[in-house]
Amino acid sequence: MSKIALITGITGQDGSYLAELLLDKGYRVHGIIRRSSSLNTGRIDHIFGKLVLHYGDMTDGSNLLNVIAKIRPDEIYNLAAQSHVMVSFETPEYTVQADGVGMLRVLEAVRSLQLKTTRIYQACTSEMFGSSLSPQSELTPFQPCSPYGSAKLYSYWIGRNYRESYSMFVANGILFNHESPRRGETFVTRKITKAVARIKHGTLDCVSLGNLDSKRDWGHAKDYARAMWMMLQHPYSADFVIATGVSHTVRQMVSLAFSFADMPLVWQGTGVSEVGVDAAGITRVRIDPKYYRPNEVNDLRGDPSKANGDLRWKPTISFEELIREMVQHDCEEEGYVK
């Protein structure tokens, strides 16, 4: 008989890739989506008829309890979150309720319903490490620098508490930055590749960015969705860092994206006066201090040794392949629109 999986946040980047993976493996896939006056299912439209969707919200415990009671899933993947770091400074209370306490509501629903065989995956984040020195592993002290990182740290610890207190299968995936053409356009990687495409097609002159010296460990969301599934197939529940082990600066990412669109940049100036200039001498990238975080995280690079060994997981898509795919997708999309 097919396994039943419930994905919260199924309409997001990670949820869509995970849903595809589980369907390919023969699962019956349910998802929770928030009610909206406009359609927000673009990432899953191509598999819409194969899914069972339920309206819900991570801030509504009774709703989550009812959905889980109805489905009685074998596996729950809690991916729903307010996942934008900068936005978390503007909506800290909602971020904590959705990202932190939301996990508690899932755990309590499973515990109170006595679903003893249900396995739970919690999407944690490298932002929990914050200012800790890199590379960061499962043993690195947490020092979050944002409401988002702090909320996710609560979800991490409450997951461990329920694992140890009630013998529940709860796996925490501490995922470093992972991107794709399905990434939201407010996140810096997709903002950059969309800007490159628009500059290429003449609908935009220049893009403004924040700290170009920030270093991140970037992988492909499709690889990371596979890691989520592997954690729930493991003989015992544990915490795993999922990362490539290699970091790049935002500046390097920008340069690569422009080069893939045949618009190589030259960097001139320093600090907030630094600009990226194309071969014709036209400024294509500027710095705007409004995009700096109130509490900057400068260097995140994961050590995936435990996942490499225990799960036999390794990324299959390189950083260069990831950025090329995103640029090609956005150039084709912008070219079609034009």
Side-chain angles (χ1 to χ4, degrees):
M1 188 173 181
S2 299
K3 284 186 178 180
I4 300 172
L6 173 63
I7 303 173
T8 72
I10 194 170
T11 60
Q13 169 190 251
D14 294 5
S16 66
Y17 281 115
L18 179 61
E20 289 175 347
L21 175 69
L22 296 179
L23 288 171
D24 286 344
K25 292 183 178 297
Y27 281 68
R28 286 181 286 163
V29 179
H30 294 250
I32 293 179
I33 63 173
R34 284 178 295 179
R35 178 72 176 89
S36 173
S37 59
S38 58
L39 292 177
N40 60 351
T41 58
R43 296 185 181 95
I44 56 172
D45 281 348
H46 62 296
I47 54 175
F48 195 88
K50 301 177 181 179
L51 305 171
V52 181
L53 301 179
H54 310 263
Y55 286 122
D57 193 286
M58 298 306 296
T59 64
D60 188 340
S62 61
N63 166 261
L64 291 172
L65 177 65
N66 291 336
V67 171
I68 293 171
K70 180 180 179 180
I71 300 170
R72 304 184 74 82
D74 299 292
E75 298 174 2
I76 297 176
Y77 296 87
N78 185 33
L79 311 186
Q82 190 300 104
S83 58
H84 199 288
V85 176
M86 278 296 292
V87 172
S88 78
F89 284 99
E90 300 174 12
T91 60
E93 185 175 340
Y94 176 77
T95 300
V96 168
Q97 284 293 324
D99 300 14
V101 185
M103 173 55 165
L104 173 61
R105 296 183 179 107
V106 171
L107 291 167
E108 267 298 285
V110 172
R111 187 187 70 83
S112 63
L113 293 167
Q114 298 186 340
L115 303 179
K116 298 185 183 301
T117 61
T118 297
R119 296 188 168 198
I120 303 170
Y121 168 81
Q122 169 59 25
C124 296
T125 172
S126 59
E127 291 289 337
M128 299 189 311
F129 292 118
S131 57
S132 296
L133 295 177
S134 67
Q136 293 98 359
S137 73
E138 295 82 3
L139 301 178
T140 301
F142 297 117
Q143 299 184 60
C145 294
S146 66
Y148 171 68
S150 300
K152 284 292 190 176
L153 186 53
Y154 176 84
S155 74
Y156 167 88
W157 277 116
I158 200 64
R160 288 193 58 164
N161 292 160
Y162 272 62
R163 178 201 303 163
E164 295 163 4
S165 299
Y166 302 113
S167 299
M168 294 172 65
F169 192 108
V170 182
N172 287 314
I174 308 173
L175 273 57
F176 280 65
N177 292 66
H178 46 288
E179 319 295 328
S180 75
R182 300 180 190 177
R183 188 61 143 155
E185 294 181 24
T186 60
F187 291 86
V188 68
T189 47
R190 190 75 194 289
K191 175 182 177 180
I192 290 166
T193 59
K194 288 293 288 187
V196 167
R198 288 166 180 163
I199 291 170
K200 178 75 173 179
H201 289 285
T203 58
L204 182 70
D205 294 325
C206 180
V207 60
S208 295
L209 301 171
N211 185 5
L212 296 178
D213 293 313
S214 289
K215 291 183 178 180
R216 293 293 184 269
D217 184 330
W218 278 299
H220 198 294
K222 185 180 293 187
D223 279 333
Y224 288 42
R226 178 167 48 87
M228 298 174 195
W229 175 78
M230 295 175 78
M231 286 182 219
L232 294 199
Q233 314 317 307
H234 198 55
Y236 57 88
S237 57
D239 310 320
F240 292 95
V241 163
I242 304 299
T244 70
V246 179
S247 63
H248 300 83
T249 64
V250 175
R251 184 184 293 100
Q252 289 173 319
M253 188 266 168
V254 173
S255 294
L256 194 62
F258 273 90
S259 70
F260 284 143
D262 299 319
M263 297 185 294
L265 295 179
V266 175
W267 296 98
Q268 301 175 353
T270 59
V272 296
S273 299
E274 185 173 11
V275 294
V277 179
D278 68 12
I282 301 173
T283 297
R284 298 303 189 183
V285 181
R286 296 185 185 276
I287 305 301
D288 189 334
K290 77 177 183 182
Y291 293 116
Y292 279 71
R293 296 183 184 180
N295 194 3
E296 192 67 47
V297 174
N298 292 313
D299 189 6
L300 291 174
R301 175 166 59 90
D303 176 0
S305 299
K306 182 179 177 181
N308 295 163
D310 291 3
L311 299 179
R312 297 291 189 264
W313 175 88
K314 286 187 178 181
T316 62
I317 303 170
S318 70
F319 175 68
E320 290 75 17
E321 290 170 329
L322 165 65
I323 302 306
R324 183 188 294 275
E325 179 186 354
M326 293 176 68
V327 170
Q328 288 179 342
H329 173 275
D330 288 339
C331 282
E332 290 172 4
E333 190 173 71
E334 289 299 314
Y336 174 77
V337 170
K338 185 178 179 181

PDB file of all heavy atoms in Angstrom, residues 74-95:
ATOM      1  N   ASP A  74       1.906   8.888   7.027  1.00  0.00           N
ATOM      2  CA  ASP A  74       3.092   8.137   7.427  1.00  0.00           C
ATOM      3  C   ASP A  74       4.276   9.077   7.632  1.00  0.00           C
ATOM      4  O   ASP A  74       5.131   8.826   8.485  1.00  0.00           O
ATOM      5  CB  ASP A  74       3.455   7.100   6.355  1.00  0.00           C
ATOM      6  CG  ASP A  74       2.351   6.079   6.144  1.00  0.00           C
ATOM      7  OD1 ASP A  74       2.111   5.280   7.070  1.00  0.00           O
ATOM      8  OD2 ASP A  74       1.718   6.105   5.074  1.00  0.00           O
ATOM      9  N   GLU A  75       4.311  10.136   6.823  1.00  0.00           N
ATOM     10  CA  GLU A  75       5.409  11.093   6.897  1.00  0.00           C
ATOM     11  C   GLU A  75       4.849  12.512   6.807  1.00  0.00           C
ATOM     12  O   GLU A  75       3.944  12.778   6.014  1.00  0.00           O
ATOM     13  CB  GLU A  75       6.411  10.870   5.747  1.00  0.00           C
ATOM     14  CG  GLU A  75       7.081   9.501   5.789  1.00  0.00           C
ATOM     15  CD  GLU A  75       7.955   9.217   4.582  1.00  0.00           C
ATOM     16  OE1 GLU A  75       8.095  10.096   3.706  1.00  0.00           O
ATOM     17  OE2 GLU A  75       8.494   8.097   4.512  1.00  0.00           O
ATOM     18  N   ILE A  76       5.398  13.404   7.621  1.00  0.00           N
ATOM     19  CA  ILE A  76       5.044  14.820   7.574  1.00  0.00           C
ATOM     20  C   ILE A  76       6.311  15.614   7.307  1.00  0.00           C
ATOM     21  O   ILE A  76       7.322  15.449   8.011  1.00  0.00           O
ATOM     22  CB  ILE A  76       4.408  15.304   8.888  1.00  0.00           C
ATOM     23  CG1 ILE A  76       3.092  14.572   9.159  1.00  0.00           C
ATOM     24  CG2 ILE A  76       4.172  16.825   8.853  1.00  0.00           C
ATOM     25  CD1 ILE A  76       2.457  14.924  10.503  1.00  0.00           C
ATOM     26  N   TYR A  77       6.260  16.455   6.300  1.00  0.00           N
ATOM     27  CA  TYR A  77       7.371  17.345   5.976  1.00  0.00           C
ATOM     28  C   TYR A  77       6.922  18.769   6.265  1.00  0.00           C
ATOM     29  O   TYR A  77       6.105  19.332   5.532  1.00  0.00           O
ATOM     30  CB  TYR A  77       7.763  17.193   4.508  1.00  0.00           C
ATOM     31  CG  TYR A  77       8.287  15.818   4.155  1.00  0.00           C
ATOM     32  CD1 TYR A  77       7.414  14.788   3.794  1.00  0.00           C
ATOM     33  CD2 TYR A  77       9.650  15.543   4.167  1.00  0.00           C
ATOM     34  CE1 TYR A  77       7.887  13.523   3.470  1.00  0.00           C
ATOM     35  CE2 TYR A  77      10.137  14.278   3.849  1.00  0.00           C
ATOM     36  CZ  TYR A  77       9.247  13.282   3.498  1.00  0.00           C
ATOM     37  OH  TYR A  77       9.722  12.031   3.170  1.00  0.00           O
ATOM     38  N   ASN A  78       7.441  19.350   7.342  1.00  0.00           N
ATOM     39  CA  ASN A  78       7.032  20.695   7.737  1.00  0.00           C
ATOM     40  C   ASN A  78       7.956  21.729   7.090  1.00  0.00           C
ATOM     41  O   ASN A  78       9.005  22.087   7.630  1.00  0.00           O
ATOM     42  CB  ASN A  78       7.041  20.854   9.258  1.00  0.00           C
ATOM     43  CG  ASN A  78       6.506  22.208   9.674  1.00  0.00           C
ATOM     44  OD1 ASN A  78       5.619  22.755   9.014  1.00  0.00           O
ATOM     45  ND2 ASN A  78       7.040  22.762  10.743  1.00  0.00           N
ATOM     46  N   LEU A  79       7.534  22.204   5.921  1.00  0.00           N
ATOM     47  CA  LEU A  79       8.322  23.172   5.159  1.00  0.00           C
ATOM     48  C   LEU A  79       7.735  24.571   5.223  1.00  0.00           C
ATOM     49  O   LEU A  79       8.382  25.530   4.787  1.00  0.00           O
ATOM     50  CB  LEU A  79       8.409  22.732   3.686  1.00  0.00           C
ATOM     51  CG  LEU A  79       8.796  21.281   3.389  1.00  0.00           C
ATOM     52  CD1 LEU A  79       8.973  21.090   1.892  1.00  0.00           C
ATOM     53  CD2 LEU A  79      10.052  20.875   4.140  1.00  0.00           C
ATOM     54  N   ALA A  80       6.529  24.712   5.728  1.00  0.00           N
ATOM     55  CA  ALA A  80       5.861  26.015   5.738  1.00  0.00           C
ATOM     56  C   ALA A  80       6.598  26.974   6.658  1.00  0.00           C
ATOM     57  O   ALA A  80       7.002  26.617   7.765  1.00  0.00           O
ATOM     58  CB  ALA A  80       4.411  25.869   6.190  1.00  0.00           C
ATOM     59  N   ALA A  81       6.762  28.217   6.189  1.00  0.00           N
ATOM     60  CA  ALA A  81       7.457  29.218   6.999  1.00  0.00           C
ATOM     61  C   ALA A  81       7.357  30.585   6.353  1.00  0.00           C
ATOM     62  O   ALA A  81       7.119  30.702   5.152  1.00  0.00           O
ATOM     63  CB  ALA A  81       8.936  28.839   7.160  1.00  0.00           C
ATOM     64  N   GLN A  82       7.535  31.601   7.171  1.00  0.00           N
ATOM     65  CA  GLN A  82       7.866  32.935   6.662  1.00  0.00           C
ATOM     66  C   GLN A  82       9.386  32.892   6.534  1.00  0.00           C
ATOM     67  O   GLN A  82      10.108  33.004   7.515  1.00  0.00           O
ATOM     68  CB  GLN A  82       7.416  34.025   7.647  1.00  0.00           C
ATOM     69  CG  GLN A  82       7.507  35.447   7.102  1.00  0.00           C
ATOM     70  CD  GLN A  82       8.915  35.867   6.703  1.00  0.00           C
ATOM     71  OE1 GLN A  82       9.234  35.909   5.505  1.00  0.00           O
ATOM     72  NE2 GLN A  82       9.769  36.160   7.662  1.00  0.00           N
ATOM     73  N   SER A  83       9.883  32.707   5.323  1.00  0.00           N
ATOM     74  CA  SER A  83      11.284  32.321   5.146  1.00  0.00           C
ATOM     75  C   SER A  83      12.220  33.436   4.697  1.00  0.00           C
ATOM     76  O   SER A  83      13.379  33.172   4.392  1.00  0.00           O
ATOM     77  CB  SER A  83      11.363  31.168   4.136  1.00  0.00           C
ATOM     78  OG  SER A  83      10.785  31.557   2.906  1.00  0.00           O
ATOM     79  N   HIS A  84      11.745  34.659   4.664  1.00  0.00           N
ATOM     80  CA  HIS A  84      12.604  35.767   4.231  1.00  0.00           C
ATOM     81  C   HIS A  84      13.218  36.442   5.450  1.00  0.00           C
ATOM     82  O   HIS A  84      12.507  36.943   6.322  1.00  0.00           O
ATOM     83  CB  HIS A  84      11.794  36.770   3.409  1.00  0.00           C
ATOM     84  CG  HIS A  84      12.636  37.662   2.562  1.00  0.00           C
ATOM     85  ND1 HIS A  84      13.406  38.673   3.092  1.00  0.00           N
ATOM     86  CD2 HIS A  84      12.842  37.697   1.221  1.00  0.00           C
ATOM     87  CE1 HIS A  84      14.038  39.293   2.112  1.00  0.00           C
ATOM     88  NE2 HIS A  84      13.729  38.718   0.977  1.00  0.00           N
ATOM     89  N   VAL A  85      14.546  36.474   5.509  1.00  0.00           N
ATOM     90  CA  VAL A  85      15.243  36.991   6.686  1.00  0.00           C
ATOM     91  C   VAL A  85      14.922  38.456   6.933  1.00  0.00           C
ATOM     92  O   VAL A  85      14.590  38.866   8.059  1.00  0.00           O
ATOM     93  CB  VAL A  85      16.767  36.791   6.553  1.00  0.00           C
ATOM     94  CG1 VAL A  85      17.489  37.433   7.735  1.00  0.00           C
ATOM     95  CG2 VAL A  85      17.099  35.302   6.483  1.00  0.00           C
ATOM     96  N   MET A  86      15.010  39.294   5.894  1.00  0.00           N
ATOM     97  CA  MET A  86      14.734  40.718   6.073  1.00  0.00           C
ATOM     98  C   MET A  86      13.295  40.957   6.519  1.00  0.00           C
ATOM     99  O   MET A  86      13.031  41.801   7.377  1.00  0.00           O
ATOM    100  CB  MET A  86      15.014  41.476   4.774  1.00  0.00           C
ATOM    101  CG  MET A  86      16.480  41.826   4.563  1.00  0.00           C
ATOM    102  SD  MET A  86      17.120  42.973   5.803  1.00  0.00           S
ATOM    103  CE  MET A  86      16.207  44.455   5.388  1.00  0.00           C
ATOM    104  N   VAL A  87      12.354  40.211   5.957  1.00  0.00           N
ATOM    105  CA  VAL A  87      10.952  40.371   6.331  1.00  0.00           C
ATOM    106  C   VAL A  87      10.739  39.990   7.789  1.00  0.00           C
ATOM    107  O   VAL A  87       9.877  40.552   8.473  1.00  0.00           O
ATOM    108  CB  VAL A  87      10.042  39.533   5.400  1.00  0.00           C
ATOM    109  CG1 VAL A  87       8.595  39.534   5.890  1.00  0.00           C
ATOM    110  CG2 VAL A  87      10.108  40.083   3.980  1.00  0.00           C
ATOM    111  N   SER A  88      11.549  39.075   8.300  1.00  0.00           N
ATOM    112  CA  SER A  88      11.380  38.655   9.691  1.00  0.00           C
ATOM    113  C   SER A  88      11.658  39.788  10.668  1.00  0.00           C
ATOM    114  O   SER A  88      11.132  39.791  11.786  1.00  0.00           O
ATOM    115  CB  SER A  88      12.269  37.444  10.003  1.00  0.00           C
ATOM    116  OG  SER A  88      13.626  37.804  10.199  1.00  0.00           O
ATOM    117  N   PHE A  89      12.466  40.755  10.274  1.00  0.00           N
ATOM    118  CA  PHE A  89      12.692  41.921  11.127  1.00  0.00           C
ATOM    119  C   PHE A  89      11.462  42.827  11.148  1.00  0.00           C
ATOM    120  O   PHE A  89      11.238  43.557  12.111  1.00  0.00           O
ATOM    121  CB  PHE A  89      13.911  42.707  10.639  1.00  0.00           C
ATOM    122  CG  PHE A  89      15.233  42.073  10.984  1.00  0.00           C
ATOM    123  CD1 PHE A  89      15.919  41.315  10.043  1.00  0.00           C
ATOM    124  CD2 PHE A  89      15.785  42.223  12.243  1.00  0.00           C
ATOM    125  CE1 PHE A  89      17.134  40.724  10.353  1.00  0.00           C
ATOM    126  CE2 PHE A  89      17.000  41.635  12.569  1.00  0.00           C
ATOM    127  CZ  PHE A  89      17.672  40.887  11.618  1.00  0.00           C
ATOM    128  N   GLU A  90      10.670  42.789  10.090  1.00  0.00           N
ATOM    129  CA  GLU A  90       9.472  43.614   9.997  1.00  0.00           C
ATOM    130  C   GLU A  90       8.246  42.909  10.575  1.00  0.00           C
ATOM    131  O   GLU A  90       7.304  43.558  11.038  1.00  0.00           O
ATOM    132  CB  GLU A  90       9.213  43.994   8.539  1.00  0.00           C
ATOM    133  CG  GLU A  90      10.349  44.793   7.907  1.00  0.00           C
ATOM    134  CD  GLU A  90      10.137  45.039   6.421  1.00  0.00           C
ATOM    135  OE1 GLU A  90       9.017  44.787   5.931  1.00  0.00           O
ATOM    136  OE2 GLU A  90      11.094  45.471   5.747  1.00  0.00           O
ATOM    137  N   THR A  91       8.245  41.582  10.530  1.00  0.00           N
ATOM    138  CA  THR A  91       7.113  40.799  11.070  1.00  0.00           C
ATOM    139  C   THR A  91       7.630  39.736  12.040  1.00  0.00           C
ATOM    140  O   THR A  91       7.412  38.534  11.836  1.00  0.00           O
ATOM    141  CB  THR A  91       6.330  40.118   9.929  1.00  0.00           C
ATOM    142  OG1 THR A  91       7.224  39.225   9.214  1.00  0.00           O
ATOM    143  CG2 THR A  91       5.763  41.144   8.963  1.00  0.00           C
ATOM    144  N   PRO A  92       8.306  40.142  13.101  1.00  0.00           N
ATOM    145  CA  PRO A  92       8.922  39.153  13.997  1.00  0.00           C
ATOM    146  C   PRO A  92       7.917  38.263  14.706  1.00  0.00           C
ATOM    147  O   PRO A  92       8.160  37.057  14.871  1.00  0.00           O
ATOM    148  CB  PRO A  92       9.699  40.023  14.995  1.00  0.00           C
ATOM    149  CG  PRO A  92       9.013  41.355  14.966  1.00  0.00           C
ATOM    150  CD  PRO A  92       8.555  41.524  13.549  1.00  0.00           C
ATOM    151  N   GLU A  93       6.789  38.814  15.133  1.00  0.00           N
ATOM    152  CA  GLU A  93       5.820  38.013  15.877  1.00  0.00           C
ATOM    153  C   GLU A  93       5.201  36.940  14.988  1.00  0.00           C
ATOM    154  O   GLU A  93       5.085  35.775  15.385  1.00  0.00           O
ATOM    155  CB  GLU A  93       4.722  38.907  16.462  1.00  0.00           C
ATOM    156  CG  GLU A  93       3.746  38.158  17.344  1.00  0.00           C
ATOM    157  CD  GLU A  93       2.730  39.084  18.003  1.00  0.00           C
ATOM    158  OE1 GLU A  93       2.980  40.297  18.091  1.00  0.00           O
ATOM    159  OE2 GLU A  93       1.667  38.577  18.415  1.00  0.00           O
ATOM    160  N   TYR A  94       4.800  37.311  13.775  1.00  0.00           N
ATOM    161  CA  TYR A  94       4.231  36.317  12.865  1.00  0.00           C
ATOM    162  C   TYR A  94       5.278  35.261  12.509  1.00  0.00           C
ATOM    163  O   TYR A  94       4.970  34.065  12.444  1.00  0.00           O
ATOM    164  CB  TYR A  94       3.710  36.972  11.586  1.00  0.00           C
ATOM    165  CG  TYR A  94       3.203  35.943  10.601  1.00  0.00           C
ATOM    166  CD1 TYR A  94       1.973  35.329  10.779  1.00  0.00           C
ATOM    167  CD2 TYR A  94       3.992  35.548   9.519  1.00  0.00           C
ATOM    168  CE1 TYR A  94       1.523  34.349   9.908  1.00  0.00           C
ATOM    169  CE2 TYR A  94       3.553  34.570   8.640  1.00  0.00           C
ATOM    170  CZ  TYR A  94       2.322  33.974   8.833  1.00  0.00           C
ATOM    171  OH  TYR A  94       1.890  33.003   7.979  1.00  0.00           O
ATOM    172  N   THR A  95       6.522  35.692  12.287  1.00  0.00           N
ATOM    173  CA  THR A  95       7.582  34.754  11.941  1.00  0.00           C
ATOM    174  C   THR A  95       7.768  33.704  13.034  1.00  0.00           C
ATOM    175  O   THR A  95       7.901  32.506  12.754  1.00  0.00           O
ATOM    176  CB  THR A  95       8.906  35.504  11.696  1.00  0.00           C
ATOM    177  OG1 THR A  95       8.738  36.434  10.611  1.00  0.00           O
ATOM    178  CG2 THR A  95      10.036  34.539  11.357  1.00  0.00           C
TER     179      THR A  95
END
